[in-house]
Amino acid sequence: MRLARFHADGRTRSGVIEDGSIIELTGGDPLGCASACERLDVAKGGVSRPLEGVRLLAPVVPSKIVAVGLNYRAHAAEFGKEIPTEPMLFLKPSTSVIGPGDEIVYPSHMSRRVDFEGELAVVIGRVARDVSVGDAPGFILGYTCFNDVTARDLQGRDIQYTRAKGFDTFAPVGPWIETALDPLDLRIESYLNGERRQDASTRDMIFNVYGLLSFVSRVMTLLPGDIIATGTPSGVGKMKPGDAVEVRIEGIGSLVNTVVQRRTCT
Ligand code: MN
């Protein structure tokens, strides 16, 4: 099932995408309750609209994004880093989220090097705390594409990642949540202006999706709608205003965003 959020008739709505249409979910946002996983079964059955006629939004509004650094061996190698022995976590703020087609704003007032990082995003469906690896699948609503936009020069300069990863618009998510997907061997690609720059499989992760969810849930409680960004493969590179960047994941689809110059206040 493909779950999306969209804007129509002056309101934000949720829907299921089927055969080029989006069927509105009744009873509001399925993620706005303690257990989205169970609620999805009963929510379908509202108005159907042609998909081309609606503007998709970020499919989820997370309370937090837990991101994982250096989770692909080849990416660790391209930065000359050791393979981590446990997941390296950092947070991105909810205010950095944008949706498919939205603009990534280049923070030229602070940075001269802004990179794309294509990643598989795990969307949490139930409150998750101290979850075992074996139980992890039951806490996942689904998967979507994610771009962990990074001001690389600031990442090197600051002791931690808050500024480098936290600018507004630095977390493109979408275009929808695929709820029926095996995440362990999916092709993941990134394109910059139509040219392929990243091409890997999620089977190359050092810590897989279920191991990551279990690990994170032993640190902090994950809420419905929270995102785990599972790390990027090798091939990351810089973007500039005017560029179009696409993250494409097998079984999900494509997340496309453009980069724009920051409009400063005078
Ligand atoms: Mn990343």
Side-chain angles (χ1 to χ4, degrees), residues 67-70 75 90 92 117-119 146-150 152 165 229-232 236:
V68 183
L70 304 175
H75 176 59
F90 60 93
K92 286 172 83 89
E117 294 189 357
E119 306 195 4
F146 189 82
N147 191 341
D148 177 20
V149 180
T150 303
R152 195 70 71 198
K165 303 277 193 176
T230 55
T232 198
V236 300

Side-chain angles (χ1 to χ4, degrees), residues 7 22 39-40 45 63 125 197 204:
H7 195 80
I22 185 158
R39 196 153 164 229
L40 272 182
S63 80
R197 305 291 290 273
D204 300 330

Side-chain angles (χ1 to χ4, degrees), residues 18-265:
E18 277 177 12
D19 304 325
S21 295
I22 185 158
I23 306 156
E24 193 171 334
L25 293 174
T26 52
D29 185 350
L31 287 166
C33 70
S35 181
C37 295
E38 285 148 30
R39 196 153 164 229
L40 272 182
D41 295 339
V42 294
K44 237 166 64 169
V47 178
S48 177
R49 295 174 171 83
L51 188 55
E52 313 90 74
V54 305
R55 184 171 133 66
L56 294 180
L57 307 172
V60 62
V61 183
S63 80
K64 58 185 169 295
I65 299 164
V66 186
V68 183
L70 304 175
N71 198 30
Y72 287 80
R73 283 175 190 82
H75 176 59
E78 77 181 339
F79 281 91
K81 305 276 191 187
E82 300 278 309
I83 302 298
T85 54
E86 56 184 4
M88 198 282 281
L89 306 182
F90 60 93
L91 292 173
K92 286 172 83 89
S94 59
T95 43
S96 60
V97 170
I98 58 172
D102 289 345
E103 293 172 336
I104 299 165
V105 178
Y106 198 107
S108 50
H109 59 312
M110 289 191 180
S111 173
R112 292 285 175 272
R113 168 79 194 231
V114 176
D115 285 11
F116 59 87
E117 294 189 357
E119 306 195 4
L120 175 71
V122 180
V123 181
I124 300 300
R126 291 165 58 198
V127 176
R129 183 185 300 122
D130 285 329
V131 174
S132 69
V133 173
D135 288 342
F139 290 83
I140 296 171
L141 176 64
Y143 303 90
T144 190
C145 307
F146 189 82
N147 191 341
D148 177 20
V149 180
T150 303
R152 195 70 71 198
D153 49 353
L154 304 182
Q155 185 184 26
R157 203 146 85 218
D158 294 351
I159 291 169
Q160 36 66 38
Y161 292 180
T162 304
R163 180 167 63 146
K165 303 277 193 176
F167 285 99
D168 287 359
T169 75
F170 268 30
V173 183
W176 43 67
I177 300 164
E178 176 57 67
T179 62
L181 197 63
D182 176 350
L184 299 182
D185 186 10
L186 300 173
R187 189 176 186 189
I188 175 166
E189 301 163 273
S190 295
Y191 292 80
L192 187 67
N193 301 321
E195 182 185 315
R196 189 164 61 215
R197 305 291 290 273
Q198 295 187 288
D199 187 3
S201 167
T202 58
R203 73 171 174 266
D204 300 330
M205 287 184 188
I206 297 166
F207 306 101
N208 75 23
V209 162
Y210 305 131
L212 289 175
L213 189 154
S214 172
F215 183 84
V216 174
S217 79
R218 292 168 194 273
V219 178
M220 64 187 85
T221 301
L222 291 161
L223 301 178
D226 281 354
I227 286 173
I228 300 174
T230 55
T232 198
S234 63
V236 300
K238 65 181 174 184
M239 305 182 290
K240 60 183 189 312
D243 285 347
V245 62
E246 174 185 351
V247 178
R248 190 185 298 177
I249 301 177
E250 180 184 3
I252 301 174
S254 276
L255 169 66
V256 182
N257 299 91
T258 52
V259 182
V260 298
Q261 196 64 255
R262 182 170 183 264
R263 287 173 285 274
T264 50
C265 303

